[in-house]
mmCIF file of all heavy atoms in Angstrom:
data_model
loop_
_atom_site.group_PDB
_atom_site.id
_atom_site.type_symbol
_atom_site.label_atom_id
_atom_site.label_comp_id
_atom_site.label_asym_id
_atom_site.label_seq_id
_atom_site.Cartn_x
_atom_site.Cartn_y
_atom_site.Cartn_z
ATOM 1 N N MET A 1090 65.428 -28.290 42.167
ATOM 2 C CA MET A 1090 65.742 -29.509 42.925
ATOM 3 C C MET A 1090 67.138 -30.018 42.549
ATOM 4 O O MET A 1090 67.512 -29.972 41.380
ATOM 5 C CB MET A 1090 64.694 -30.589 42.655
ATOM 6 C CG MET A 1090 63.298 -30.225 43.179
ATOM 7 S SD MET A 1090 62.022 -31.415 42.720
ATOM 8 C CE MET A 1090 62.533 -32.838 43.689
ATOM 9 N N VAL A 1092 68.040 -33.056 42.690
ATOM 10 C CA VAL A 1092 67.802 -34.335 42.030
ATOM 11 C C VAL A 1092 67.142 -34.044 40.674
ATOM 12 O O VAL A 1092 66.213 -33.238 40.602
ATOM 13 C CB VAL A 1092 66.874 -35.211 42.899
ATOM 14 C CG1 VAL A 1092 66.494 -36.493 42.190
ATOM 15 C CG2 VAL A 1092 67.529 -35.514 44.245
ATOM 16 N N LEU A 1094 64.862 -35.395 37.518
ATOM 17 C CA LEU A 1094 63.846 -36.451 37.452
ATOM 18 C C LEU A 1094 63.139 -36.529 36.115
ATOM 19 O O LEU A 1094 63.099 -35.582 35.325
ATOM 20 C CB LEU A 1094 62.855 -36.310 38.606
ATOM 21 C CG LEU A 1094 61.876 -35.152 38.677
ATOM 22 C CD1 LEU A 1094 60.596 -35.468 37.925
ATOM 23 C CD2 LEU A 1094 61.544 -34.879 40.138
ATOM 24 N N TRP A 1102 54.939 -37.490 38.047
ATOM 25 C CA TRP A 1102 54.972 -36.485 39.107
ATOM 26 C C TRP A 1102 55.739 -35.260 38.610
ATOM 27 O O TRP A 1102 56.819 -35.397 38.031
ATOM 28 C CB TRP A 1102 55.657 -37.081 40.341
ATOM 29 C CG TRP A 1102 55.643 -36.205 41.556
ATOM 30 C CD1 TRP A 1102 54.677 -36.154 42.517
ATOM 31 C CD2 TRP A 1102 56.674 -35.289 41.963
ATOM 32 N NE1 TRP A 1102 55.032 -35.252 43.496
ATOM 33 C CE2 TRP A 1102 56.242 -34.704 43.181
ATOM 34 C CE3 TRP A 1102 57.902 -34.895 41.417
ATOM 35 C CZ2 TRP A 1102 57.010 -33.756 43.865
ATOM 36 C CZ3 TRP A 1102 58.655 -33.953 42.089
ATOM 37 C CH2 TRP A 1102 58.210 -33.395 43.300
ATOM 38 N N LEU A 1151 58.254 -42.651 39.140
ATOM 39 C CA LEU A 1151 59.096 -41.456 39.186
ATOM 40 C C LEU A 1151 60.550 -41.923 39.180
ATOM 41 O O LEU A 1151 60.907 -42.804 39.951
ATOM 42 C CB LEU A 1151 58.740 -40.699 40.466
ATOM 43 C CG LEU A 1151 59.519 -39.493 40.905
ATOM 44 C CD1 LEU A 1151 59.714 -38.518 39.779
ATOM 45 C CD2 LEU A 1151 58.770 -38.833 42.037
ATOM 46 N N ASN A 1153 64.448 -40.843 39.526
ATOM 47 C CA ASN A 1153 65.322 -39.778 40.026
ATOM 48 C C ASN A 1153 66.769 -40.083 39.732
ATOM 49 O O ASN A 1153 67.205 -41.220 39.882
ATOM 50 C CB ASN A 1153 65.171 -39.640 41.541
ATOM 51 C CG ASN A 1153 63.848 -39.049 41.909
ATOM 52 O OD1 ASN A 1153 63.552 -37.926 41.529
ATOM 53 N ND2 ASN A 1153 63.041 -39.813 42.604
ATOM 54 N N TYR A 1155 70.431 -38.968 41.022
ATOM 55 C CA TYR A 1155 71.201 -38.268 42.050
ATOM 56 C C TYR A 1155 72.659 -38.248 41.631
ATOM 57 O O TYR A 1155 73.226 -39.290 41.316
ATOM 58 C CB TYR A 1155 71.125 -39.002 43.388
ATOM 59 C CG TYR A 1155 69.777 -39.045 44.061
ATOM 60 C CD1 TYR A 1155 68.761 -39.878 43.585
ATOM 61 C CD2 TYR A 1155 69.530 -38.299 45.210
ATOM 62 C CE1 TYR A 1155 67.537 -39.940 44.236
ATOM 63 C CE2 TYR A 1155 68.310 -38.365 45.863
ATOM 64 C CZ TYR A 1155 67.316 -39.184 45.372
ATOM 65 O OH TYR A 1155 66.112 -39.257 46.015
ATOM 66 N N MET A 1161 67.707 -35.346 49.146
ATOM 67 C CA MET A 1161 66.267 -35.092 49.199
ATOM 68 C C MET A 1161 65.891 -34.909 50.656
ATOM 69 O O MET A 1161 66.121 -35.795 51.477
ATOM 70 C CB MET A 1161 65.500 -36.245 48.561
ATOM 71 C CG MET A 1161 64.042 -35.907 48.408
ATOM 72 S SD MET A 1161 63.167 -36.963 47.270
ATOM 73 C CE MET A 1161 63.908 -36.520 45.730
ATOM 74 N N HIS A 1164 60.407 -35.605 53.701
ATOM 75 C CA HIS A 1164 59.082 -35.266 53.168
ATOM 76 C C HIS A 1164 58.167 -36.471 53.305
ATOM 77 O O HIS A 1164 58.628 -37.594 53.551
ATOM 78 C CB HIS A 1164 59.200 -34.880 51.681
ATOM 79 C CG HIS A 1164 59.651 -36.025 50.835
ATOM 80 N ND1 HIS A 1164 60.971 -36.384 50.707
ATOM 81 C CD2 HIS A 1164 58.958 -36.942 50.104
ATOM 82 C CE1 HIS A 1164 61.070 -37.447 49.935
ATOM 83 N NE2 HIS A 1164 59.857 -37.820 49.555
ATOM 84 N N ASP A 1166 55.200 -38.637 51.054
ATOM 85 C CA ASP A 1166 54.642 -38.786 49.701
ATOM 86 C C ASP A 1166 53.122 -38.692 49.847
ATOM 87 O O ASP A 1166 52.474 -39.660 50.255
ATOM 88 C CB ASP A 1166 55.059 -40.124 49.089
ATOM 89 C CG ASP A 1166 56.534 -40.160 48.703
ATOM 90 O OD1 ASP A 1166 57.241 -39.159 48.919
ATOM 91 O OD2 ASP A 1166 56.971 -41.199 48.177
ATOM 92 N N SER A 1178 60.464 -48.425 46.236
ATOM 93 C CA SER A 1178 61.605 -47.581 45.873
ATOM 94 C C SER A 1178 62.819 -48.442 45.548
ATOM 95 O O SER A 1178 63.288 -49.213 46.388
ATOM 96 C CB SER A 1178 61.895 -46.643 47.063
ATOM 97 O OG SER A 1178 63.123 -45.997 46.903
ATOM 98 N N VAL A 1179 63.324 -48.334 44.328
ATOM 99 C CA VAL A 1179 64.418 -49.176 43.832
ATOM 100 C C VAL A 1179 65.679 -48.327 43.689
ATOM 101 O O VAL A 1179 65.641 -47.256 43.074
ATOM 102 C CB VAL A 1179 64.053 -49.784 42.459
ATOM 103 C CG1 VAL A 1179 65.212 -50.581 41.883
ATOM 104 C CG2 VAL A 1179 62.796 -50.641 42.566
ATOM 105 N N SER A 1180 66.783 -48.807 44.246
ATOM 106 C CA SER A 1180 68.061 -48.083 44.164
ATOM 107 C C SER A 1180 69.004 -48.756 43.189
ATOM 108 O O SER A 1180 69.206 -49.975 43.260
ATOM 109 C CB SER A 1180 68.737 -48.054 45.540
ATOM 110 O OG SER A 1180 67.987 -47.305 46.454
ATOM 111 N N ALA A 1185 73.625 -44.759 48.825
ATOM 112 C CA ALA A 1185 72.938 -43.628 49.440
ATOM 113 C C ALA A 1185 72.615 -43.988 50.882
ATOM 114 O O ALA A 1185 72.586 -45.161 51.247
ATOM 115 C CB ALA A 1185 71.642 -43.333 48.684
ATOM 116 N N PHE A 1187 69.478 -43.669 53.094
ATOM 117 C CA PHE A 1187 68.043 -43.370 53.113
ATOM 118 C C PHE A 1187 67.668 -42.996 54.543
ATOM 119 O O PHE A 1187 68.101 -43.637 55.496
ATOM 120 C CB PHE A 1187 67.282 -44.618 52.658
ATOM 121 C CG PHE A 1187 65.792 -44.459 52.547
ATOM 122 C CD1 PHE A 1187 65.231 -43.502 51.710
ATOM 123 C CD2 PHE A 1187 64.937 -45.303 53.254
ATOM 124 C CE1 PHE A 1187 63.848 -43.379 51.581
ATOM 125 C CE2 PHE A 1187 63.561 -45.199 53.129
ATOM 126 C CZ PHE A 1187 63.013 -44.233 52.297
ATOM 127 N N LEU A 1203 71.747 -47.799 51.433
ATOM 128 C CA LEU A 1203 71.152 -48.484 50.280
ATOM 129 C C LEU A 1203 72.181 -48.634 49.178
ATOM 130 O O LEU A 1203 72.916 -47.691 48.877
ATOM 131 C CB LEU A 1203 69.950 -47.699 49.749
ATOM 132 C CG LEU A 1203 68.722 -47.607 50.662
ATOM 133 C CD1 LEU A 1203 67.623 -46.799 49.979
ATOM 134 C CD2 LEU A 1203 68.218 -48.994 51.062
ATOM 135 N N TRP A 1211 57.345 -49.219 51.595
ATOM 136 C CA TRP A 1211 56.612 -48.773 52.774
ATOM 137 C C TRP A 1211 55.144 -48.570 52.406
ATOM 138 O O TRP A 1211 54.822 -48.027 51.350
ATOM 139 C CB TRP A 1211 57.243 -47.561 53.457
ATOM 140 C CG TRP A 1211 57.357 -46.269 52.689
ATOM 141 C CD1 TRP A 1211 56.521 -45.204 52.774
ATOM 142 C CD2 TRP A 1211 58.392 -45.882 51.775
ATOM 143 N NE1 TRP A 1211 56.961 -44.183 51.962
ATOM 144 C CE2 TRP A 1211 58.107 -44.576 51.334
ATOM 145 C CE3 TRP A 1211 59.535 -46.531 51.258
ATOM 146 C CZ2 TRP A 1211 58.906 -43.897 50.423
ATOM 147 C CZ3 TRP A 1211 60.335 -45.854 50.338
ATOM 148 C CH2 TRP A 1211 60.014 -44.556 49.946
ATOM 149 N N HIS A 1220 60.484 -39.295 54.999
ATOM 150 C CA HIS A 1220 61.676 -39.977 54.490
ATOM 151 C C HIS A 1220 62.454 -39.018 53.600
ATOM 152 O O HIS A 1220 61.915 -37.996 53.165
ATOM 153 C CB HIS A 1220 61.283 -41.248 53.730
ATOM 154 C CG HIS A 1220 60.379 -40.972 52.578
ATOM 155 N ND1 HIS A 1220 59.012 -40.805 52.720
ATOM 156 C CD2 HIS A 1220 60.637 -40.769 51.263
ATOM 157 C CE1 HIS A 1220 58.482 -40.532 51.550
ATOM 158 N NE2 HIS A 1220 59.446 -40.498 50.634
ATOM 159 N N GLY A 1221 63.707 -39.361 53.356
ATOM 160 C CA GLY A 1221 64.550 -38.524 52.512
ATOM 161 C C GLY A 1221 65.847 -39.241 52.200
ATOM 162 O O GLY A 1221 66.000 -40.428 52.510
ATOM 163 N N VAL A 1222 66.755 -38.528 51.569
ATOM 164 C CA VAL A 1222 68.053 -39.097 51.189
ATOM 165 C C VAL A 1222 69.138 -38.109 51.593
ATOM 166 O O VAL A 1222 69.086 -36.921 51.227
ATOM 167 C CB VAL A 1222 68.104 -39.380 49.670
ATOM 168 C CG1 VAL A 1222 69.470 -39.916 49.268
ATOM 169 C CG2 VAL A 1222 67.008 -40.362 49.258
ATOM 170 N N ARG A 1237 73.432 -42.159 41.160
ATOM 171 C CA ARG A 1237 72.433 -43.062 41.748
ATOM 172 C C ARG A 1237 71.119 -42.816 41.021
ATOM 173 O O ARG A 1237 70.722 -41.665 40.828
ATOM 174 C CB ARG A 1237 72.249 -42.778 43.229
ATOM 175 C CG ARG A 1237 71.068 -43.508 43.844
ATOM 176 C CD ARG A 1237 70.941 -43.268 45.340
ATOM 177 N NE ARG A 1237 69.913 -44.115 45.906
ATOM 178 C CZ ARG A 1237 68.689 -43.707 46.262
ATOM 179 N NH1 ARG A 1237 68.344 -42.436 46.134
ATOM 180 N NH2 ARG A 1237 67.815 -44.554 46.757
ATOM 181 N N ASN A 1239 67.091 -43.776 41.190
ATOM 182 C CA ASN A 1239 66.043 -44.310 42.060
ATOM 183 C C ASN A 1239 64.720 -44.317 41.299
ATOM 184 O O ASN A 1239 64.342 -43.317 40.689
ATOM 185 C CB ASN A 1239 65.931 -43.448 43.327
ATOM 186 C CG ASN A 1239 64.761 -43.867 44.193
ATOM 187 O OD1 ASN A 1239 63.697 -43.260 44.146
ATOM 188 N ND2 ASN A 1239 64.934 -44.923 44.960
ATOM 189 N N THR A 1241 60.718 -44.724 42.022
ATOM 190 C CA THR A 1241 59.654 -44.944 43.002
ATOM 191 C C THR A 1241 58.365 -45.235 42.254
ATOM 192 O O THR A 1241 57.886 -44.426 41.464
ATOM 193 C CB THR A 1241 59.453 -43.809 44.017
ATOM 194 O OG1 THR A 1241 59.249 -42.586 43.343
ATOM 195 C CG2 THR A 1241 60.627 -43.674 44.956
ATOM 196 N N ARG A 1243 54.416 -46.006 42.267
ATOM 197 C CA ARG A 1243 53.230 -45.660 43.054
ATOM 198 C C ARG A 1243 51.983 -46.016 42.274
ATOM 199 O O ARG A 1243 52.007 -46.097 41.048
ATOM 200 C CB ARG A 1243 53.162 -44.147 43.322
ATOM 201 C CG ARG A 1243 54.354 -43.552 44.035
ATOM 202 C CD ARG A 1243 55.129 -42.646 43.118
ATOM 203 N NE ARG A 1243 56.405 -42.236 43.725
ATOM 204 C CZ ARG A 1243 56.535 -41.210 44.547
ATOM 205 N NH1 ARG A 1243 55.491 -40.481 44.844
ATOM 206 N NH2 ARG A 1243 57.702 -40.914 45.059
HETATM 207 C C1 MD6 B 2057 65.024 -42.341 47.327
HETATM 208 N N1 MD6 B 2057 62.991 -41.061 47.042
HETATM 209 O O1 MD6 B 2057 65.493 -41.727 46.368
HETATM 210 C C2 MD6 B 2057 63.719 -41.923 47.916
HETATM 211 N N2 MD6 B 2057 59.902 -39.186 47.022
HETATM 212 O O2 MD6 B 2057 65.605 -43.316 47.855
HETATM 213 C C3 MD6 B 2057 61.867 -40.440 47.489
HETATM 214 O O3 MD6 B 2057 61.473 -40.520 48.595
HETATM 215 C C4 MD6 B 2057 61.085 -39.626 46.601
HETATM 216 O O4 MD6 B 2057 62.720 -39.757 44.953
HETATM 217 C C5 MD6 B 2057 59.151 -38.404 46.273
HETATM 218 C C6 MD6 B 2057 59.566 -38.019 45.043
HETATM 219 C C7 MD6 B 2057 60.772 -38.474 44.592
HETATM 220 C C8 MD6 B 2057 61.561 -39.300 45.372
#
Side-chain angles (χ1 to χ4, degrees):
M1090 294 174 68
V1092 174
L1094 69 87
W1102 186 89
L1151 173 48
N1153 289 299
Y1155 293 74
M1161 189 163 293
H1164 65 278
D1166 288 1
S1178 168
V1179 176
S1180 294
F1187 183 59
L1203 293 180
W1211 62 99
H1220 59 278
V1222 178
R1237 170 177 187 256
N1239 174 261
T1241 55
R1243 302 112 189 275

